[in-house]
Amino acid sequence: MTNSNDDGASRPQAVVAGDLDSDGTLNGRAGASEFSIGGPGGRGGTTAGANPYELLSASLAACTAMTIRLQARRRKIPLSHVEVAVSYRHGGDGGRDSFERSISLEGSLGDEERAQLMQAANMCPVGRTLGLSADIRTNDKLSGGRAASYDDDLSELPIPNIDPD
């Protein structure tokens, strides 16, 4: 899906660019937001910024929070604050990867209202897309655990290390 410029021409929703001669920093742009993307710089170091797994997790967290907020406003549910924490995890032994999603809801909510908002989390469009290839486990407690490491995954790719000299 693309967005349109003022002249009606389509443009991508996100752009990432970086020079090979620089320190390896990649710069991203999505909508009006600009940000650095972190991860291996290609020269043995790590660049600052959120890595692709963190960006993917942030997309799911943002979409979930927006969907819950929209549902609360439409149904006039007295939600005062929502917090969504997401971590991406690899599936063990060839199993499906997963996103661990924890949701905290605040406000004068009854049990039925709370259940409606937790159910709304599963209507998030980003979650529906990601759910095609990964499981999304949702709970109402902010939890920890070991998230997948983007740096580790890149180091395991079968890419030969060729010295340019």
Side-chain angles (χ1 to χ4, degrees):
M1 176 183 266
T2 58
N3 295 325
S4 295
N5 292 325
D6 291 337
D7 63 3
S10 65
R11 61 179 168 82
Q13 292 177 319
V15 175
V16 174
D19 296 326
L20 292 178
D21 294 337
S22 70
D23 62 358
T25 300
L26 293 174
N27 296 302
R29 184 177 68 246
S33 299
E34 293 188 22
F35 45 90
S36 294
I37 298 172
R43 296 185 180 198
T46 301
T47 60
N51 71 47
Y53 287 161
E54 292 165 336
L55 292 170
L56 196 57
S57 294
S59 293
L60 178 58
C63 185
T64 301
M66 287 181 204
T67 303
I68 290 171
R69 184 177 62 188
L70 177 65
Q71 184 79 340
R73 286 180 177 161
R74 282 185 177 167
R75 293 184 179 233
K76 299 186 181 343
I77 295 174
L79 176 69
S80 61
H81 182 80
V82 59
E83 182 174 334
V84 180
V86 175
S87 292
Y88 171 71
R89 302 197 188 329
H90 288 299
D93 298 324
R96 284 172 52 100
D97 292 349
S98 66
F99 290 89
E100 299 293 331
R101 178 172 59 184
S102 302
I103 301 171
S104 173
L105 304 172
E106 295 178 15
S108 301
L109 305 173
D111 291 342
E112 185 174 324
E113 292 169 322
R114 187 173 297 279
Q116 287 175 359
L117 294 177
M118 292 298 285
Q119 186 176 20
N122 295 324
M123 292 187 273
C124 155
V126 170
R128 293 170 77 182
T129 300
L130 293 175
L132 297 174
S133 62
D135 293 326
I136 299 174
R137 297 184 184 101
T138 304
N139 65 62
D140 61 355
K141 296 177 179 66
L142 297 181
S143 62
R146 188 179 188 292
S149 167
Y150 186 74
D151 291 347
D152 290 348
D153 287 353
L154 279 182
S155 68
E156 293 172 8
L157 288 177
I159 300 172
N161 188 11
I162 299 172
D163 189 6
D165 293 332

